[in-house]
């Protein structure tokens, strides 16, 4: 749908925001290294804590705080972090009456970035995930 120049953007629904955020988080987990550094472990733990404070849907943020309290972040390896994330996503799914996702299939559902010439493949760059 087109909006005239200067008109406010269409509001984002809670569902769209959720799907976009889960895409971000599961992609992050797919790229999370097998042997993370102390800094990488600290960063993902902080990211989750920050998300639970500033997620732009207050009810969701409040609920996620409780989810995190009951399920502290596990980020010791790629497997640990991607399974933990799958588990907490399922906690949210259950609370919304949605189907539970089979976590043994999380690596098949979420993968690396599809990017031309791997230009956005963070693993090859001088950055956080190197
Ligand atoms: C941190 C957080 C907290 C939220 N809290 C609330 C809340 O309290 N109330 C509310 O109404 N909404 C909340 N949401 C939004 C909600 O989780 C959904 O994103 C939204 O309802 C859209 O759901 P969906 O069915 O399209 O799929 P989503 O749940 O958005 O999932 C997107 C895709 O991820 C895959 N998937 C599903 N489950 C898993 C899993 N366990 N592991 C890996 N992949 C999976 C599926 O392929 C699915 O199509 C929250 C979102 C986030 C990110």
């Amino acid at each position: 749908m087109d909006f005239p120049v200067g008109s406010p953007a269409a509001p984002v629904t809670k569902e769209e925001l959720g799907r976009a955020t889960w895409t971000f988080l599961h992609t992050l987990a797919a790229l999370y290294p097998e042997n993370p550094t102390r800094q990488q472990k600290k960063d993902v733990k902080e990211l989750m804590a920050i998300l639970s404070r500033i997620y732009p849907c207050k009810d969701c943020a409040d609920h996620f705080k409780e989810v995190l309290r009951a399920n502290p972040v596990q980020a010791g390896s790629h497997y640990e972090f991607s399974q933990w994330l799958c588990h907490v996503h399922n906690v949210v799914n259950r609370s919304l009456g949605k189907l539970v996702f089979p976590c043994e299939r999380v690596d098949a559902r979420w993968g690396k970035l599809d990017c031309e010439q791997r230009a956005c493949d963070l693993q090859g760059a001088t950055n956080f995930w190197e």
Side-chain angles (χ1 to χ4, degrees), residues 14 18-19 22 26 55 60 63 86 89-90 92-93 96 98 101 109-110:
K14 192 158 72 168
R19 277 190 290 275
W22 288 121
H26 288 295
Y55 190 72
C60 309
H63 177 230
C86 182
H89 190 165
N90 276 336
V92 174
N93 286 344
L96 297 175
K98 291 179 193 286
F101 185 91
R109 170 66 180 87
W110 300 101

mmCIF file with all atom_site columns, all heavy atoms in Angstrom, residues 14 18-19 22 26 55 60 63 86 89-90 92-93 96 98 101 109-110, ligand 1:
data_model
loop_
_atom_site.group_PDB
_atom_site.id
_atom_site.type_symbol
_atom_site.label_atom_id
_atom_site.label_alt_id
_atom_site.label_comp_id
_atom_site.label_asym_id
_atom_site.label_entity_id
_atom_site.label_seq_id
_atom_site.pdbx_PDB_ins_code
_atom_site.Cartn_x
_atom_site.Cartn_y
_atom_site.Cartn_z
_atom_site.occupancy
_atom_site.B_iso_or_equiv
_atom_site.pdbx_formal_charge
_atom_site.auth_seq_id
_atom_site.auth_comp_id
_atom_site.auth_asym_id
_atom_site.auth_atom_id
_atom_site.pdbx_PDB_model_num
ATOM   1   N N   . LYS A 1 14  ? 1.972  -5.395  16.737 1.00 0.00 ? 14  LYS A N   1
ATOM   2   C CA  . LYS A 1 14  ? 2.731  -6.187  17.718 1.00 0.00 ? 14  LYS A CA  1
ATOM   3   C C   . LYS A 1 14  ? 3.260  -7.471  17.062 1.00 0.00 ? 14  LYS A C   1
ATOM   4   O O   . LYS A 1 14  ? 4.356  -7.931  17.340 1.00 0.00 ? 14  LYS A O   1
ATOM   5   C CB  . LYS A 1 14  ? 1.779  -6.513  18.875 1.00 0.00 ? 14  LYS A CB  1
ATOM   6   C CG  . LYS A 1 14  ? 2.429  -7.058  20.097 1.00 0.00 ? 14  LYS A CG  1
ATOM   7   C CD  . LYS A 1 14  ? 1.570  -6.845  21.333 1.00 0.00 ? 14  LYS A CD  1
ATOM   8   C CE  . LYS A 1 14  ? 0.350  -7.733  21.392 1.00 0.00 ? 14  LYS A CE  1
ATOM   9   N NZ  . LYS A 1 14  ? -0.308 -7.730  22.711 1.00 0.00 ? 14  LYS A NZ  1
ATOM   10  N N   . GLY A 1 18  ? 7.097  -8.468  16.523 1.00 0.00 ? 18  GLY A N   1
ATOM   11  C CA  . GLY A 1 18  ? 7.548  -9.733  17.100 1.00 0.00 ? 18  GLY A CA  1
ATOM   12  C C   . GLY A 1 18  ? 8.272  -10.580 16.075 1.00 0.00 ? 18  GLY A C   1
ATOM   13  O O   . GLY A 1 18  ? 9.372  -11.079 16.328 1.00 0.00 ? 18  GLY A O   1
ATOM   14  N N   . ARG A 1 19  ? 7.668  -10.722 14.886 1.00 0.00 ? 19  ARG A N   1
ATOM   15  C CA  . ARG A 1 19  ? 8.311  -11.554 13.847 1.00 0.00 ? 19  ARG A CA  1
ATOM   16  C C   . ARG A 1 19  ? 9.679  -10.991 13.471 1.00 0.00 ? 19  ARG A C   1
ATOM   17  O O   . ARG A 1 19  ? 10.643 -11.737 13.319 1.00 0.00 ? 19  ARG A O   1
ATOM   18  C CB  . ARG A 1 19  ? 7.418  -11.634 12.596 1.00 0.00 ? 19  ARG A CB  1
ATOM   19  C CG  . ARG A 1 19  ? 6.330  -12.686 12.709 1.00 0.00 ? 19  ARG A CG  1
ATOM   20  C CD  . ARG A 1 19  ? 5.609  -12.921 11.396 1.00 0.00 ? 19  ARG A CD  1
ATOM   21  N NE  . ARG A 1 19  ? 4.758  -11.803 11.003 1.00 0.00 ? 19  ARG A NE  1
ATOM   22  C CZ  . ARG A 1 19  ? 3.502  -11.636 11.417 1.00 0.00 ? 19  ARG A CZ  1
ATOM   23  N NH1 . ARG A 1 19  ? 2.941  -12.505 12.227 1.00 0.00 ? 19  ARG A NH1 1
ATOM   24  N NH2 . ARG A 1 19  ? 2.799  -10.601 11.014 1.00 0.00 ? 19  ARG A NH2 1
ATOM   25  N N   . TRP A 1 22  ? 12.118 -11.683 16.394 1.00 0.00 ? 22  TRP A N   1
ATOM   26  C CA  . TRP A 1 22  ? 12.540 -13.098 16.464 1.00 0.00 ? 22  TRP A CA  1
ATOM   27  C C   . TRP A 1 22  ? 13.483 -13.423 15.316 1.00 0.00 ? 22  TRP A C   1
ATOM   28  O O   . TRP A 1 22  ? 14.456 -14.179 15.488 1.00 0.00 ? 22  TRP A O   1
ATOM   29  C CB  . TRP A 1 22  ? 11.325 -14.044 16.456 1.00 0.00 ? 22  TRP A CB  1
ATOM   30  C CG  . TRP A 1 22  ? 10.522 -14.038 17.716 1.00 0.00 ? 22  TRP A CG  1
ATOM   31  C CD1 . TRP A 1 22  ? 9.190  -13.729 17.844 1.00 0.00 ? 22  TRP A CD1 1
ATOM   32  C CD2 . TRP A 1 22  ? 10.978 -14.354 19.052 1.00 0.00 ? 22  TRP A CD2 1
ATOM   33  N NE1 . TRP A 1 22  ? 8.806  -13.836 19.159 1.00 0.00 ? 22  TRP A NE1 1
ATOM   34  C CE2 . TRP A 1 22  ? 9.860  -14.216 19.921 1.00 0.00 ? 22  TRP A CE2 1
ATOM   35  C CE3 . TRP A 1 22  ? 12.197 -14.730 19.596 1.00 0.00 ? 22  TRP A CE3 1
ATOM   36  C CZ2 . TRP A 1 22  ? 9.944  -14.445 21.308 1.00 0.00 ? 22  TRP A CZ2 1
ATOM   37  C CZ3 . TRP A 1 22  ? 12.288 -14.954 20.964 1.00 0.00 ? 22  TRP A CZ3 1
ATOM   38  C CH2 . TRP A 1 22  ? 11.173 -14.816 21.802 1.00 0.00 ? 22  TRP A CH2 1
ATOM   39  N N   . HIS A 1 26  ? 17.003 -14.998 16.188 1.00 0.00 ? 26  HIS A N   1
ATOM   40  C CA  . HIS A 1 26  ? 17.381 -16.353 15.754 1.00 0.00 ? 26  HIS A CA  1
ATOM   41  C C   . HIS A 1 26  ? 18.536 -16.305 14.744 1.00 0.00 ? 26  HIS A C   1
ATOM   42  O O   . HIS A 1 26  ? 19.350 -17.232 14.691 1.00 0.00 ? 26  HIS A O   1
ATOM   43  C CB  . HIS A 1 26  ? 16.176 -17.093 15.158 1.00 0.00 ? 26  HIS A CB  1
ATOM   44  C CG  . HIS A 1 26  ? 15.168 -17.509 16.196 1.00 0.00 ? 26  HIS A CG  1
ATOM   45  N ND1 . HIS A 1 26  ? 15.456 -18.439 17.182 1.00 0.00 ? 26  HIS A ND1 1
ATOM   46  C CD2 . HIS A 1 26  ? 13.892 -17.119 16.421 1.00 0.00 ? 26  HIS A CD2 1
ATOM   47  C CE1 . HIS A 1 26  ? 14.383 -18.602 17.958 1.00 0.00 ? 26  HIS A CE1 1
ATOM   48  N NE2 . HIS A 1 26  ? 13.414 -17.812 17.513 1.00 0.00 ? 26  HIS A NE2 1
ATOM   49  N N   . TYR A 1 55  ? 12.058 -3.168  24.912 1.00 0.00 ? 55  TYR A N   1
ATOM   50  C CA  . TYR A 1 55  ? 11.260 -3.690  23.794 1.00 0.00 ? 55  TYR A CA  1
ATOM   51  C C   . TYR A 1 55  ? 10.019 -2.819  23.631 1.00 0.00 ? 55  TYR A C   1
ATOM   52  O O   . TYR A 1 55  ? 9.287  -2.578  24.612 1.00 0.00 ? 55  TYR A O   1
ATOM   53  C CB  . TYR A 1 55  ? 10.872 -5.148  24.079 1.00 0.00 ? 55  TYR A CB  1
ATOM   54  C CG  . TYR A 1 55  ? 10.249 -5.852  22.900 1.00 0.00 ? 55  TYR A CG  1
ATOM   55  C CD1 . TYR A 1 55  ? 11.024 -6.222  21.815 1.00 0.00 ? 55  TYR A CD1 1
ATOM   56  C CD2 . TYR A 1 55  ? 8.884  -6.122  22.875 1.00 0.00 ? 55  TYR A CD2 1
ATOM   57  C CE1 . TYR A 1 55  ? 10.453 -6.870  20.720 1.00 0.00 ? 55  TYR A CE1 1
ATOM   58  C CE2 . TYR A 1 55  ? 8.305  -6.773  21.790 1.00 0.00 ? 55  TYR A CE2 1
ATOM   59  C CZ  . TYR A 1 55  ? 9.096  -7.136  20.715 1.00 0.00 ? 55  TYR A CZ  1
ATOM   60  O OH  . TYR A 1 55  ? 8.527  -7.766  19.638 1.00 0.00 ? 55  TYR A OH  1
ATOM   61  N N   . CYS A 1 60  ? 4.792  -7.002  26.368 1.00 0.00 ? 60  CYS A N   1
ATOM   62  C CA  . CYS A 1 60  ? 5.727  -8.060  25.934 1.00 0.00 ? 60  CYS A CA  1
ATOM   63  C C   . CYS A 1 60  ? 7.023  -7.961  26.733 1.00 0.00 ? 60  CYS A C   1
ATOM   64  O O   . CYS A 1 60  ? 7.570  -8.974  27.184 1.00 0.00 ? 60  CYS A O   1
ATOM   65  C CB  . CYS A 1 60  ? 6.058  -7.918  24.447 1.00 0.00 ? 60  CYS A CB  1
ATOM   66  S SG  . CYS A 1 60  ? 4.631  -7.770  23.367 1.00 0.00 ? 60  CYS A SG  1
ATOM   67  N N   . HIS A 1 63  ? 6.539  -9.223  30.248 1.00 0.00 ? 63  HIS A N   1
ATOM   68  C CA  . HIS A 1 63  ? 6.435  -10.684 30.257 1.00 0.00 ? 63  HIS A CA  1
ATOM   69  C C   . HIS A 1 63  ? 7.819  -11.303 30.011 1.00 0.00 ? 63  HIS A C   1
ATOM   70  O O   . HIS A 1 63  ? 8.211  -12.264 30.676 1.00 0.00 ? 63  HIS A O   1
ATOM   71  C CB  . HIS A 1 63  ? 5.430  -11.150 29.183 1.00 0.00 ? 63  HIS A CB  1
ATOM   72  C CG  . HIS A 1 63  ? 5.321  -12.632 29.093 1.00 0.00 ? 63  HIS A CG  1
ATOM   73  N ND1 . HIS A 1 63  ? 5.420  -13.324 27.903 1.00 0.00 ? 63  HIS A ND1 1
ATOM   74  C CD2 . HIS A 1 63  ? 5.170  -13.585 30.046 1.00 0.00 ? 63  HIS A CD2 1
ATOM   75  C CE1 . HIS A 1 63  ? 5.317  -14.620 28.139 1.00 0.00 ? 63  HIS A CE1 1
ATOM   76  N NE2 . HIS A 1 63  ? 5.154  -14.809 29.420 1.00 0.00 ? 63  HIS A NE2 1
ATOM   77  N N   . CYS A 1 86  ? 15.407 -20.833 21.388 1.00 0.00 ? 86  CYS A N   1
ATOM   78  C CA  . CYS A 1 86  ? 14.257 -21.602 20.929 1.00 0.00 ? 86  CYS A CA  1
ATOM   79  C C   . CYS A 1 86  ? 13.325 -21.891 22.111 1.00 0.00 ? 86  CYS A C   1
ATOM   80  O O   . CYS A 1 86  ? 12.101 -21.746 22.009 1.00 0.00 ? 86  CYS A O   1
ATOM   81  C CB  . CYS A 1 86  ? 14.744 -22.907 20.295 1.00 0.00 ? 86  CYS A CB  1
ATOM   82  S SG  . CYS A 1 86  ? 13.405 -23.900 19.636 1.00 0.00 ? 86  CYS A SG  1
ATOM   83  N N   . HIS A 1 89  ? 11.521 -18.689 23.186 1.00 0.00 ? 89  HIS A N   1
ATOM   84  C CA  . HIS A 1 89  ? 10.503 -18.358 22.174 1.00 0.00 ? 89  HIS A CA  1
ATOM   85  C C   . HIS A 1 89  ? 9.291  -19.272 22.374 1.00 0.00 ? 89  HIS A C   1
ATOM   86  O O   . HIS A 1 89  ? 8.151  -18.833 22.288 1.00 0.00 ? 89  HIS A O   1
ATOM   87  C CB  . HIS A 1 89  ? 11.120 -18.511 20.772 1.00 0.00 ? 89  HIS A CB  1
ATOM   88  C CG  . HIS A 1 89  ? 10.286 -17.982 19.644 1.00 0.00 ? 89  HIS A CG  1
ATOM   89  N ND1 . HIS A 1 89  ? 10.787 -17.750 18.385 1.00 0.00 ? 89  HIS A ND1 1
ATOM   90  C CD2 . HIS A 1 89  ? 8.964  -17.646 19.575 1.00 0.00 ? 89  HIS A CD2 1
ATOM   91  C CE1 . HIS A 1 89  ? 9.811  -17.289 17.597 1.00 0.00 ? 89  HIS A CE1 1
ATOM   92  N NE2 . HIS A 1 89  ? 8.708  -17.235 18.297 1.00 0.00 ? 89  HIS A NE2 1
ATOM   93  N N   . ASN A 1 90  ? 9.549  -20.540 22.698 1.00 0.00 ? 90  ASN A N   1
ATOM   94  C CA  . ASN A 1 90  ? 8.432  -21.459 22.946 1.00 0.00 ? 90  ASN A CA  1
ATOM   95  C C   . ASN A 1 90  ? 7.648  -21.088 24.204 1.00 0.00 ? 90  ASN A C   1
ATOM   96  O O   . ASN A 1 90  ? 6.431  -21.290 24.256 1.00 0.00 ? 90  ASN A O   1
ATOM   97  C CB  . ASN A 1 90  ? 8.945  -22.903 23.046 1.00 0.00 ? 90  ASN A CB  1
ATOM   98  C CG  . ASN A 1 90  ? 9.084  -23.548 21.672 1.00 0.00 ? 90  ASN A CG  1
ATOM   99  O OD1 . ASN A 1 90  ? 8.412  -23.135 20.719 1.00 0.00 ? 90  ASN A OD1 1
ATOM   100 N ND2 . ASN A 1 90  ? 9.952  -24.544 21.562 1.00 0.00 ? 90  ASN A ND2 1
ATOM   101 N N   . VAL A 1 92  ? 7.119  -18.067 25.158 1.00 0.00 ? 92  VAL A N   1
ATOM   102 C CA  . VAL A 1 92  ? 6.232  -16.989 24.677 1.00 0.00 ? 92  VAL A CA  1
ATOM   103 C C   . VAL A 1 92  ? 5.124  -17.597 23.810 1.00 0.00 ? 92  VAL A C   1
ATOM   104 O O   . VAL A 1 92  ? 3.940  -17.254 23.966 1.00 0.00 ? 92  VAL A O   1
ATOM   105 C CB  . VAL A 1 92  ? 7.042  -15.910 23.898 1.00 0.00 ? 92  VAL A CB  1
ATOM   106 C CG1 . VAL A 1 92  ? 6.109  -14.874 23.282 1.00 0.00 ? 92  VAL A CG1 1
ATOM   107 C CG2 . VAL A 1 92  ? 8.079  -15.237 24.802 1.00 0.00 ? 92  VAL A CG2 1
ATOM   108 N N   . ASN A 1 93  ? 5.492  -18.528 22.924 1.00 0.00 ? 93  ASN A N   1
ATOM   109 C CA  . ASN A 1 93  ? 4.472  -19.179 22.077 1.00 0.00 ? 93  ASN A CA  1
ATOM   110 C C   . ASN A 1 93  ? 3.356  -19.789 22.928 1.00 0.00 ? 93  ASN A C   1
ATOM   111 O O   . ASN A 1 93  ? 2.166  -19.586 22.656 1.00 0.00 ? 93  ASN A O   1
ATOM   112 C CB  . ASN A 1 93  ? 5.104  -20.310 21.240 1.00 0.00 ? 93  ASN A CB  1
ATOM   113 C CG  . ASN A 1 93  ? 5.950  -19.802 20.093 1.00 0.00 ? 93  ASN A CG  1
ATOM   114 O OD1 . ASN A 1 93  ? 5.865  -18.626 19.708 1.00 0.00 ? 93  ASN A OD1 1
ATOM   115 N ND2 . ASN A 1 93  ? 6.784  -20.658 19.519 1.00 0.00 ? 93  ASN A ND2 1
ATOM   116 N N   . LEU A 1 96  ? 0.896  -17.496 24.404 1.00 0.00 ? 96  LEU A N   1
ATOM   117 C CA  . LEU A 1 96  ? -0.022 -16.899 23.420 1.00 0.00 ? 96  LEU A CA  1
ATOM   118 C C   . LEU A 1 96  ? -0.916 -17.953 22.768 1.00 0.00 ? 96  LEU A C   1
ATOM   119 O O   . LEU A 1 96  ? -1.656 -17.667 21.833 1.00 0.00 ? 96  LEU A O   1
ATOM   120 C CB  . LEU A 1 96  ? 0.789  -16.166 22.333 1.00 0.00 ? 96  LEU A CB  1
ATOM   121 C CG  . LEU A 1 96  ? 1.640  -14.978 22.805 1.00 0.00 ? 96  LEU A CG  1
ATOM   122 C CD1 . LEU A 1 96  ? 2.481  -14.433 21.662 1.00 0.00 ? 96  LEU A CD1 1
ATOM   123 C CD2 . LEU A 1 96  ? 0.759  -13.878 23.384 1.00 0.00 ? 96  LEU A CD2 1
ATOM   124 N N   . LYS A 1 98  ? 0.107  -20.457 21.010 1.00 0.00 ? 98  LYS A N   1
ATOM   125 C CA  . LYS A 1 98  ? 0.634  -20.890 19.703 1.00 0.00 ? 98  LYS A CA  1
ATOM   126 C C   . LYS A 1 98  ? 1.282  -22.268 19.821 1.00 0.00 ? 98  LYS A C   1
ATOM   127 O O   . LYS A 1 98  ? 1.593  -22.720 20.924 1.00 0.00 ? 98  LYS A O   1
ATOM   128 C CB  . LYS A 1 98  ? 1.707  -19.900 19.223 1.00 0.00 ? 98  LYS A CB  1
ATOM   129 C CG  . LYS A 1 98  ? 1.173  -18.531 18.844 1.00 0.00 ? 98  LYS A CG  1
ATOM   130 C CD  . LYS A 1 98  ? 2.317  -17.631 18.401 1.00 0.00 ? 98  LYS A CD  1
ATOM   131 C CE  . LYS A 1 98  ? 1.927  -16.177 18.307 1.00 0.00 ? 98  LYS A CE  1
ATOM   132 N NZ  . LYS A 1 98  ? 1.084  -15.868 17.153 1.00 0.00 ? 98  LYS A NZ  1
ATOM   133 N N   . PHE A 1 101 ? 7.537  -24.914 18.821 1.00 0.00 ? 101 PHE A N   1
ATOM   134 C CA  . PHE A 1 101 ? 8.452  -25.241 17.718 1.00 0.00 ? 101 PHE A CA  1
ATOM   135 C C   . PHE A 1 101 ? 9.414  -26.347 18.176 1.00 0.00 ? 101 PHE A C   1
ATOM   136 O O   . PHE A 1 101 ? 9.970  -26.275 19.281 1.00 0.00 ? 101 PHE A O   1
ATOM   137 C CB  . PHE A 1 101 ? 9.237  -23.976 17.341 1.00 0.00 ? 101 PHE A CB  1
ATOM   138 C CG  . PHE A 1 101 ? 10.136 -24.134 16.147 1.00 0.00 ? 101 PHE A CG  1
ATOM   139 C CD1 . PHE A 1 101 ? 9.675  -23.853 14.861 1.00 0.00 ? 101 PHE A CD1 1
ATOM   140 C CD2 . PHE A 1 101 ? 11.456 -24.546 16.289 1.00 0.00 ? 101 PHE A CD2 1
ATOM   141 C CE1 . PHE A 1 101 ? 10.499 -23.998 13.753 1.00 0.00 ? 101 PHE A CE1 1
ATOM   142 C CE2 . PHE A 1 101 ? 12.289 -24.689 15.188 1.00 0.00 ? 101 PHE A CE2 1
ATOM   143 C CZ  . PHE A 1 101 ? 11.808 -24.409 13.922 1.00 0.00 ? 101 PHE A CZ  1
ATOM   144 N N   . ARG A 1 109 ? 15.749 -24.224 10.441 1.00 0.00 ? 109 ARG A N   1
ATOM   145 C CA  . ARG A 1 109 ? 14.843 -23.085 10.201 1.00 0.00 ? 109 ARG A CA  1
ATOM   146 C C   . ARG A 1 109 ? 15.603 -21.771 10.077 1.00 0.00 ? 109 ARG A C   1
ATOM   147 O O   . ARG A 1 109 ? 15.263 -20.914 9.269  1.00 0.00 ? 109 ARG A O   1
ATOM   148 C CB  . ARG A 1 109 ? 13.824 -23.008 11.360 1.00 0.00 ? 109 ARG A CB  1
ATOM   149 C CG  . ARG A 1 109 ? 12.955 -21.740 11.402 1.00 0.00 ? 109 ARG A CG  1
ATOM   150 C CD  . ARG A 1 109 ? 12.036 -21.672 10.201 1.00 0.00 ? 109 ARG A CD  1
ATOM   151 N NE  . ARG A 1 109 ? 11.190 -20.477 10.204 1.00 0.00 ? 109 ARG A NE  1
ATOM   152 C CZ  . ARG A 1 109 ? 11.548 -19.291 9.696  1.00 0.00 ? 109 ARG A CZ  1
ATOM   153 N NH1 . ARG A 1 109 ? 12.754 -19.133 9.165  1.00 0.00 ? 109 ARG A NH1 1
ATOM   154 N NH2 . ARG A 1 109 ? 10.699 -18.267 9.719  1.00 0.00 ? 109 ARG A NH2 1
ATOM   155 N N   . TRP A 1 110 ? 16.633 -21.600 10.901 1.00 0.00 ? 110 TRP A N   1
ATOM   156 C CA  . TRP A 1 110 ? 17.346 -20.327 10.932 1.00 0.00 ? 110 TRP A CA  1
ATOM   157 C C   . TRP A 1 110 ? 18.804 -20.546 10.549 1.00 0.00 ? 110 TRP A C   1
ATOM   158 O O   . TRP A 1 110 ? 19.491 -21.347 11.175 1.00 0.00 ? 110 TRP A O   1
ATOM   159 C CB  . TRP A 1 110 ? 17.270 -19.696 12.331 1.00 0.00 ? 110 TRP A CB  1
ATOM   160 C CG  . TRP A 1 110 ? 15.868 -19.435 12.757 1.00 0.00 ? 110 TRP A CG  1
ATOM   161 C CD1 . TRP A 1 110 ? 15.107 -20.180 13.600 1.00 0.00 ? 110 TRP A CD1 1
ATOM   162 C CD2 . TRP A 1 110 ? 15.027 -18.351 12.330 1.00 0.00 ? 110 TRP A CD2 1
ATOM   163 N NE1 . TRP A 1 110 ? 13.857 -19.646 13.728 1.00 0.00 ? 110 TRP A NE1 1
ATOM   164 C CE2 . TRP A 1 110 ? 13.773 -18.517 12.969 1.00 0.00 ? 110 TRP A CE2 1
ATOM   165 C CE3 . TRP A 1 110 ? 15.212 -17.264 11.468 1.00 0.00 ? 110 TRP A CE3 1
ATOM   166 C CZ2 . TRP A 1 110 ? 12.712 -17.629 12.771 1.00 0.00 ? 110 TRP A CZ2 1
ATOM   167 C CZ3 . TRP A 1 110 ? 14.151 -16.378 11.282 1.00 0.00 ? 110 TRP A CZ3 1
ATOM   168 C CH2 . TRP A 1 110 ? 12.925 -16.563 11.933 1.00 0.00 ? 110 TRP A CH2 1
HETATM 169 C C1  . LIG B 2 .   ? 10.903 -10.979 23.204 1.00 0.00 ? 1   LIG B C1  1
HETATM 170 C C2  . LIG B 2 .   ? 9.485  -11.044 22.689 1.00 0.00 ? 1   LIG B C2  1
HETATM 171 C C3  . LIG B 2 .   ? 8.419  -11.102 23.561 1.00 0.00 ? 1   LIG B C3  1
HETATM 172 C C4  . LIG B 2 .   ? 7.111  -11.109 23.082 1.00 0.00 ? 1   LIG B C4  1
HETATM 173 N N1  . LIG B 2 .   ? 6.080  -11.111 23.970 1.00 0.00 ? 1   LIG B N1  1
HETATM 174 C C5  . LIG B 2 .   ? 4.809  -11.041 23.510 1.00 0.00 ? 1   LIG B C5  1
HETATM 175 C C6  . LIG B 2 .   ? 3.712  -10.938 24.427 1.00 0.00 ? 1   LIG B C6  1
HETATM 176 O O1  . LIG B 2 .   ? 3.892  -10.947 25.657 1.00 0.00 ? 1   LIG B O1  1
HETATM 177 N N2  . LIG B 2 .   ? 2.457  -10.823 23.899 1.00 0.00 ? 1   LIG B N2  1
HETATM 178 C C7  . LIG B 2 .   ? 2.237  -10.804 22.528 1.00 0.00 ? 1   LIG B C7  1
HETATM 179 O O2  . LIG B 2 .   ? 1.080  -10.692 22.102 1.00 0.00 ? 1   LIG B O2  1
HETATM 180 N N3  . LIG B 2 .   ? 3.256  -10.923 21.658 1.00 0.00 ? 1   LIG B N3  1
HETATM 181 C C8  . LIG B 2 .   ? 4.524  -11.034 22.105 1.00 0.00 ? 1   LIG B C8  1
HETATM 182 N N4  . LIG B 2 .   ? 5.561  -11.128 21.221 1.00 0.00 ? 1   LIG B N4  1
HETATM 183 C C9  . LIG B 2 .   ? 5.272  -11.320 19.773 1.00 0.00 ? 1   LIG B C9  1
HETATM 184 C C10 . LIG B 2 .   ? 5.003  -12.813 19.478 1.00 0.00 ? 1   LIG B C10 1
HETATM 185 O O3  . LIG B 2 .   ? 6.016  -13.636 20.052 1.00 0.00 ? 1   LIG B O3  1
HETATM 186 C C11 . LIG B 2 .   ? 4.973  -13.111 17.967 1.00 0.00 ? 1   LIG B C11 1
HETATM 187 O O4  . LIG B 2 .   ? 6.151  -12.613 17.364 1.00 0.00 ? 1   LIG B O4  1
HETATM 188 C C12 . LIG B 2 .   ? 3.765  -12.574 17.220 1.00 0.00 ? 1   LIG B C12 1
HETATM 189 O O5  . LIG B 2 .   ? 2.574  -12.967 17.857 1.00 0.00 ? 1   LIG B O5  1
HETATM 190 C C13 . LIG B 2 .   ? 3.751  -13.073 15.760 1.00 0.00 ? 1   LIG B C13 1
HETATM 191 O O6  . LIG B 2 .   ? 3.700  -14.487 15.827 1.00 0.00 ? 1   LIG B O6  1
HETATM 192 P P1  . LIG B 2 .   ? 3.879  -15.472 14.614 1.00 0.00 ? 1   LIG B P1  1
HETATM 193 O O7  . LIG B 2 .   ? 2.900  -16.595 14.825 1.00 0.00 ? 1   LIG B O7  1
HETATM 194 O O8  . LIG B 2 .   ? 3.827  -14.763 13.303 1.00 0.00 ? 1   LIG B O8  1
HETATM 195 O O9  . LIG B 2 .   ? 5.358  -16.111 14.737 1.00 0.00 ? 1   LIG B O9  1
HETATM 196 P P2  . LIG B 2 .   ? 6.560  -15.709 15.675 1.00 0.00 ? 1   LIG B P2  1
HETATM 197 O O10 . LIG B 2 .   ? 6.326  -16.234 17.055 1.00 0.00 ? 1   LIG B O10 1
HETATM 198 O O11 . LIG B 2 .   ? 6.873  -14.256 15.514 1.00 0.00 ? 1   LIG B O11 1
HETATM 199 O O12 . LIG B 2 .   ? 7.741  -16.563 15.040 1.00 0.00 ? 1   LIG B O12 1
HETATM 200 C C14 . LIG B 2 .   ? 8.299  -16.241 13.776 1.00 0.00 ? 1   LIG B C14 1
HETATM 201 C C15 . LIG B 2 .   ? 8.756  -17.534 13.138 1.00 0.00 ? 1   LIG B C15 1
HETATM 202 O O13 . LIG B 2 .   ? 9.711  -18.137 13.990 1.00 0.00 ? 1   LIG B O13 1
HETATM 203 C C16 . LIG B 2 .   ? 9.643  -19.547 13.927 1.00 0.00 ? 1   LIG B C16 1
HETATM 204 N N5  . LIG B 2 .   ? 9.514  -20.020 15.299 1.00 0.00 ? 1   LIG B N5  1
HETATM 205 C C17 . LIG B 2 .   ? 8.415  -20.102 16.071 1.00 0.00 ? 1   LIG B C17 1
HETATM 206 N N6  . LIG B 2 .   ? 8.742  -20.537 17.297 1.00 0.00 ? 1   LIG B N6  1
HETATM 207 C C18 . LIG B 2 .   ? 10.075 -20.748 17.292 1.00 0.00 ? 1   LIG B C18 1
HETATM 208 C C19 . LIG B 2 .   ? 11.002 -21.211 18.261 1.00 0.00 ? 1   LIG B C19 1
HETATM 209 N N7  . LIG B 2 .   ? 10.618 -21.563 19.491 1.00 0.00 ? 1   LIG B N7  1
HETATM 210 N N8  . LIG B 2 .   ? 12.309 -21.306 17.917 1.00 0.00 ? 1   LIG B N8  1
HETATM 211 C C20 . LIG B 2 .   ? 12.719 -20.976 16.673 1.00 0.00 ? 1   LIG B C20 1
HETATM 212 N N9  . LIG B 2 .   ? 11.891 -20.520 15.703 1.00 0.00 ? 1   LIG B N9  1
HETATM 213 C C21 . LIG B 2 .   ? 10.572 -20.417 16.017 1.00 0.00 ? 1   LIG B C21 1
HETATM 214 C C22 . LIG B 2 .   ? 8.441  -19.900 13.069 1.00 0.00 ? 1   LIG B C22 1
HETATM 215 O O14 . LIG B 2 .   ? 8.930  -20.271 11.789 1.00 0.00 ? 1   LIG B O14 1
HETATM 216 C C23 . LIG B 2 .   ? 7.669  -18.589 12.994 1.00 0.00 ? 1   LIG B C23 1
HETATM 217 O O15 . LIG B 2 .   ? 6.974  -18.453 11.792 1.00 0.00 ? 1   LIG B O15 1
HETATM 218 C C24 . LIG B 2 .   ? 6.875  -11.106 21.674 1.00 0.00 ? 1   LIG B C24 1
HETATM 219 C C25 . LIG B 2 .   ? 7.960  -11.056 20.797 1.00 0.00 ? 1   LIG B C25 1
HETATM 220 C C26 . LIG B 2 .   ? 9.249  -11.020 21.286 1.00 0.00 ? 1   LIG B C26 1
HETATM 221 C C27 . LIG B 2 .   ? 10.416 -10.944 20.323 1.00 0.00 ? 1   LIG B C27 1
#
